[in-house]
Amino acid sequence: MGSSSYADAAAFRAAAATGQVGIDPDAAQAVLSKIRTGKDAVATLLENTSFLAVQPKLGANPVGQALASKFAERAAGVGDSYAQALRNLYTQYDQAEHAIVEAMSRYDDVDASSAQSFTGQL
């Protein structure tokens, strides 16, 4: 899941913003609802990641302290951390949500434009 799915969501949003994609609003409501449900679930998980930064008690020796620090950093830090993965997922949900909303708002324009090419032609 990394940059590819993020790039796909961003590309879809860009296509919707430029009017290349239009989605029937009635048909898209179920998808939009699922996206928002997933986005809300990830937001809830993100709110609860602060407890991950607490270092586990692995002893007073230098190795235990180093490991405890490493575990806390990897859980709630940046890079490959759990919290960063959640932030990335939230961003993807956000991109998809905005793209769907934009495509829904462009539906009538795209539909009218497509129909215009057939006007007068049988």
Side-chain angles (χ1 to χ4, degrees):
M1 177 165 82
S3 61
S4 177
S5 55
Y6 179 80
D8 292 343
F12 180 64
R13 184 174 183 188
T18 60
Q20 296 174 355
V21 176
I23 297 175
D24 180 359
D26 295 331
Q29 285 302 322
V31 172
L32 189 57
S33 176
K34 289 181 182 194
I35 288 171
R36 287 179 173 157
T37 299
K39 184 179 170 185
D40 291 344
V42 171
T44 299
L45 290 170
L46 275 168
E47 290 172 6
N48 295 320
T49 58
S50 61
F51 78 92
L52 294 173
V54 176
Q55 292 186 4
K57 297 177 183 179
L58 298 178
N61 68 58
V63 173
Q65 290 176 345
L67 284 173
S69 177
K70 184 177 181 180
F71 289 151
E73 184 178 303
R74 285 231 174 130
V78 294
D80 292 335
S81 71
Y82 173 72
Q84 186 60 44
L86 287 174
R87 286 189 287 272
N88 292 343
L89 181 57
Y90 183 87
T91 299
Q92 290 172 24
Y93 271 123
D94 192 55
Q95 289 280 340
E97 177 186 23
H98 285 91
I100 294 283
V101 169
E102 184 72 31
M104 289 167 61
S105 72
R106 302 274 184 178
Y107 176 72
D108 290 331
D109 296 338
V110 170
D111 191 45
S113 176
S114 296
Q116 187 177 15
S117 66
F118 293 107
T119 303
Q121 298 178 11
L122 293 175

